[in-house]
Each structure stands twice: as C-alpha cells, then as structure tokens.
Amino acid sequence: MRFRRLCATALLATGTLLAPTTPATAATTCQEVSYPVQVGLTPLITTQETIAGTLCTPTGATTIQVLIPGGTYDRTYWNVGFEPETHSYTQSQNKAGFATLALDRLGTGKSSKPLSALVTASTQASAAHQVIEKLRPRFSKVIIAGHSIGSAMAMIEAGTHQDVDGVLITGFTHKMNYITVVPVLANMIPAGLDLGYLTTAPNTRYNSFHKPGPLIPGSINFDESTKTVFAATEAVDTILLNTVIIPISRRITVPVFLVVGNDTHFCSAGVPLMGSDCSSPAALKADEAPFFPATPRLDTYVLNGYGHSINYAPNAPDYHKAVAGWAKSI
C-alpha cells in the first residue's frame, strides 16, 4: 500500500496523472492529465503554469500524437462530441493504434489562464515542448499536430526544439488570405478573462470556420457551445514566424503532412500571397515545398467539400485515415 502511494505521488508530481483511467474503447484507456510548465516573455521572467489535456492510450501504443487546437477551440476540437464516430479525430487515431494527447492551449479549457499578454504562439510552443519532454521515454515516437493557429505552434515547436519525429499541419498554409482572415478577427469580441482574450461573436462560426461545407445544425451548435478563446498576441508571432517573411518551418527536419479543406482563409486560386494553391494535393505540395527545404518528406492532402475546421466535415474520416497511414509510414 505504501509503495502504491509513493508511485501515485511521483506521478502527480511529474504531471502525468490527474484522474483514474476510464475506457475509451475495448483496447484504449483515456485519462485527464496535467503538466507543469514554465512560460514567459523572456527566459529571465517566467511564471509557473499548467497545461491540461486528455491522454488516450491504446494497448501497446509506442507512438503518440500531441494535438494543439486552433484559436477559439480547446481539446474538444480533436474529439468532437457531435457524431463522434465521424468527427472524433482522437478516436480514429486510437483505433489505428496511436496514443493521443489532446491539449488545452494556455488560456483555454482546464489549462492555466495567465495574462493574455504572456500568451504568444511561441510560449504555447514552449509549453508543448515541455509536455513532450515528459512523454519520453514512455513513447518512442512523438508526432506534433496542430489545427489553424495550433499548426503554427506545432511548426514553431518542431523547428525550434527539433524533438519530434513528425509534424501534422491542418487548416494552415504559409500564405494566409488576409482578405478573409481579417474580417473574422475584426468581428471577435472580448471573452471576459482580460481584454486581450477574444472569441467569436454569437452565431458567426459557420461563416468563419465551416463554409463552404454543409450547414448541419447539430454540428454547428456543438461548435458554438464548446467555443473558447484565443489571445490576440498569439496571432502576432504566428504571422511573423509562419508566413513568407521568416518561416520557422525552414528548420523542420522531420516528415511533414499538410492537410487542408477548401479553406478560404489559407487557399486562393492564382492570387499571390493571398492563399496557397489548394486545387490538388500536388499543387499544394508544389506551393508549400519551398517553406520546408530541410524536410525529408512533405506529403499533402486536400479534403474537398468543407472549409477551415475539417474535423467537422462529413467526410472527415477520409483525412483521418490518410493521417493514420502517413503516421505508420514515417
């Protein structure tokens, strides 16, 4: 009994266990986890914060995908509760044999909520790096994945720390279409933590994140009911470090898989710097390849029929399956 108490104390101290395990499927267990992280605007001025998430581990899994959600989303983006057999990314990857850790970014969900000025894409990437350090050596292979601004954070983490075995980018390219992105940002409203934390105005999420996909009330209602915040400061270094200016992706030295839908925020036909060419996987690869000169392998996938938040797409299982195949091949 004393030995068990000591083990439990040690696990809590390292941030690897917060709640008892519960079954997700017959072969997968899921648990709430929490990790202590140090973040700050400079190495000399830091604060102790906490990153929370859901860790799901199939029996025998040796590869884990660390999942960072996009702006105004928390970990639920990766485990959509509306028709999860179609929309849950984590369930699809768990069934394929991969462990998943879906995180709440700082400022969202059950993670710490520091002053918004402290929350940048780089501090979020640093927090993810500290989490990844705690996952090894339990998992021999780590894939970092992101959606939208979370993809920017994934690329910053991989390019800065070079501690992962693969990078999954979804809902993001290096050529942001400011014609569509700026109005979405301009229509956001303060979310009540401090004035730097913003969220979408009521009933705007379909046009902002799902169009031109079908308007499915249950899907959009779930998205609206689970929306959260993003810090305006997260957008600053997302743009500086993940566009054509000084792309951090030039330092990524592991395989990359880039997945987009028919996303008006990051795709544009023939308009320079107003979106990448997403007309086909081959066109997308040709457009994005110059930003990944050190990557040994760049794969691309276009999920047709939906907009930005592709886990909500009716055909989301197609891209989930493609990711699982890619992850097994690297």
Side-chain angles (χ1 to χ4, degrees):
M1 181 63 72
R2 183 170 179 268
F3 176 75
R4 288 187 208 169
R5 285 198 299 267
L6 288 172
C7 289
T9 301
L11 287 168
L12 284 167
T14 57
T16 56
L17 179 62
L18 194 64
T21 59
T22 55
T25 67
T28 300
T29 56
C30 293
Q31 61 195 70
E32 296 285 307
V33 292
S34 181
Y35 303 90
V37 296
Q38 293 281 337
V39 301
L41 294 179
T42 74
L44 298 177
I45 304 174
T46 63
T47 62
Q48 175 89 17
E49 306 294 346
T50 300
I51 286 283
T54 302
L55 173 64
C56 293
T57 309
T59 301
T62 58
T63 297
I64 187 167
Q65 300 182 21
V66 178
L67 311 173
I68 307 175
T72 75
Y73 285 99
D74 61 14
R75 74 181 87 171
T76 57
Y77 175 76
W78 299 103
N79 188 23
V80 175
F82 174 76
E83 297 182 352
E85 66 280 0
T86 296
H87 301 296
S88 175
Y89 178 91
T90 55
Q91 288 188 26
S92 72
Q93 300 307 298
N94 297 154
K95 290 177 182 177
F98 299 106
T100 56
L101 174 57
L103 299 175
D104 290 332
R105 294 178 355 272
L106 289 170
T108 72
K110 294 182 180 179
S111 290
S112 296
K113 297 170 176 61
L115 290 174
S116 62
L118 297 176
V119 182
T120 66
S122 296
T123 56
Q124 299 279 22
S126 174
H129 164 65
Q130 292 171 66
V131 170
I132 288 169
E133 287 185 311
K134 294 177 174 66
L135 295 174
R136 297 189 188 270
R138 178 180 178 184
F139 297 99
S140 59
K141 184 178 290 186
V142 177
I143 294 170
I144 191 165
H147 168 68
S148 191
I149 203 170
S151 288
M153 296 162 190
M155 286 190 284
I156 294 171
E157 196 285 333
T160 302
H161 301 286
Q162 299 183 338
D163 59 350
V164 296
D165 302 282
V167 182
L168 171 64
I169 302 165
T170 73
F172 195 92
T173 73
H174 284 85
K175 299 179 182 179
M176 190 179 299
N177 187 347
Y178 297 99
I179 293 174
T180 64
V181 170
V182 170
V184 172
L185 296 176
N187 287 329
M188 288 194 176
I189 58 177
L193 298 172
D194 68 51
L195 292 179
Y197 281 112
L198 305 173
T199 194
T200 52
N203 303 315
T204 61
R205 294 186 77 81
Y206 172 73
N207 287 331
S208 295
F209 300 137
H210 303 271
K211 194 175 181 178
L215 200 167
I216 302 171
S219 181
I220 303 306
N221 289 342
F222 180 84
D223 190 16
E224 181 73 26
S225 69
T226 57
K227 72 180 182 183
T228 182
V229 301
F230 92 107
T233 42
E234 291 177 277
V236 176
D237 49 343
T238 287
I239 294 171
L240 290 177
L241 294 176
N242 291 282
T243 63
V244 295
I245 303 172
I246 45 172
I248 193 70
S249 59
R250 296 182 63 85
R251 297 182 59 192
I252 295 175
T253 58
V254 294
V256 173
F257 194 22
L258 196 159
V259 182
V260 295
N262 302 139
D263 190 340
T264 59
H265 299 324
F266 292 95
C267 299
S268 181
V271 182
L273 302 183
M274 287 295 126
S276 295
D277 185 350
C278 309
S279 58
S280 69
L284 180 60
K285 182 175 181 177
D287 212 350
E288 283 288 304
F291 302 107
F292 297 95
T295 299
R297 174 179 166 187
L298 173 64
D299 295 290
T300 52
Y301 187 93
V302 178
L303 186 72
N304 288 311
Y306 214 78
H308 183 59
S309 296
I310 52 177
N311 279 342
Y312 283 85
N315 56 341
D318 293 343
Y319 112 75
H320 295 166
K321 181 178 179 181
V323 171
W326 168 81
K328 289 176 180 177
S329 71
I330 64 173

